[in-house]
Amino acid sequence: MGTSPLAPPTGAVTAFTIRRVAQASPGVAAQACAVVRESIARCCAADHGNDPAVLGAWLANKTPAQFAAWLSAPGAMAWAACRSQGADVDVDAPMVGFALVLPPATLALCYVVPEVLGQGVGRALLQAAEAEARRCGAPALVLDSTRTAQGFYRRNGYEPAGAAKAWAGLWGQPLRKLL
C-alpha cells in the first residue's frame, strides 16, 4: 500500500487510516477480497435475501485472483481502510474497508466490514476516491448502487443517473456525482 494516509473524517469513532493501494500484492488482494465478501454477505442481506443463488452470483467474481487483476488494470485506483494502532499507523493493521475506481471514472467497489458501519470509514474511502478522480480530471464519478447502499451514496451527493436495473436477482440503481 502507499505511504500517504488520509485522516479520518471528523466525528469518526473508529481509529483508521485510508491508504492508497499502490501494488497488487497477493496479500492486499486477498485482504480486499475478504473485506468485500464479508460486507456483501453480512451487510447486504436485504439485497440478496440470504438466497444462496443470488449471493453466489454476486460473489462469483469476488476472488483474490480477480482482485489482483482489478488492482493491476491500467488506470485502476484503489484504497484500503486499515485499523490504526494508537498514534502510529501500522501498515500491517487489519483492513476494514476497500474502494476501487476503474477507468474512466466508475466506482466499482466501496465496502466496509460490519463492525465499522456508521463510523466514517465508507465516507472516507468514498472521499478519497472522489478526490483522486477529480485530480485526474474526471468530471463525475458513476456507480451502480444496491438498495442497501443507496441512502449512503445519496447522503454523499450522488443522484440517480438512469433507470434501476436487475441482474441475477439483484437490483442496481445507476448513480452519478459531479466532481
Side-chain angles (χ1 to χ4, degrees):
M1 288 187 276
T3 58
S4 56
L6 299 175
T10 304
V13 179
T14 301
F16 65 92
T17 302
I18 304 298
R19 293 192 170 275
R20 178 79 186 265
V21 176
Q23 55 185 310
S25 72
V28 169
Q31 284 186 70
C33 180
V35 164
V36 170
R37 289 179 68 89
E38 180 181 4
S39 184
I40 290 170
R42 294 182 53 204
C43 300
C44 302
D47 294 297
H48 56 69
N50 292 315
D51 180 324
V54 174
L55 183 57
W58 196 350
L59 296 177
N61 68 343
K62 310 303 187 289
T63 66
Q66 183 60 58
F67 273 76
W70 284 330
L71 289 166
S72 299
M77 301 177 285
W79 297 265
C82 297
R83 291 190 191 279
S84 297
Q85 306 297 323
D88 295 325
V89 176
D90 179 357
V91 296
D92 295 322
M95 191 181 295
V96 295
F98 180 77
L100 173 71
V101 173
L102 296 175
T106 299
L107 184 67
L109 301 168
C110 187
Y111 290 91
V112 300
V113 296
E115 293 76 22
V116 300
L117 278 176
Q119 297 181 25
V121 177
R123 185 174 69 240
L125 285 165
L126 186 59
Q127 289 171 349
E130 291 170 354
E132 187 64 16
R134 189 177 302 110
R135 190 190 69 71
C136 291
L141 197 58
V142 298
L143 60 99
D144 285 332
S145 176
T146 63
R147 284 187 174 112
T148 299
Q150 188 174 11
F152 166 76
Y153 289 117
R154 297 292 299 264
R155 286 189 303 278
N156 283 282
Y158 287 77
E159 297 181 352
K165 46 191 169 184
W167 172 82
L170 293 167
W171 177 91
Q173 173 63 58
L175 298 175
R176 177 177 187 234
K177 181 178 181 178
L178 296 177
L179 301 175

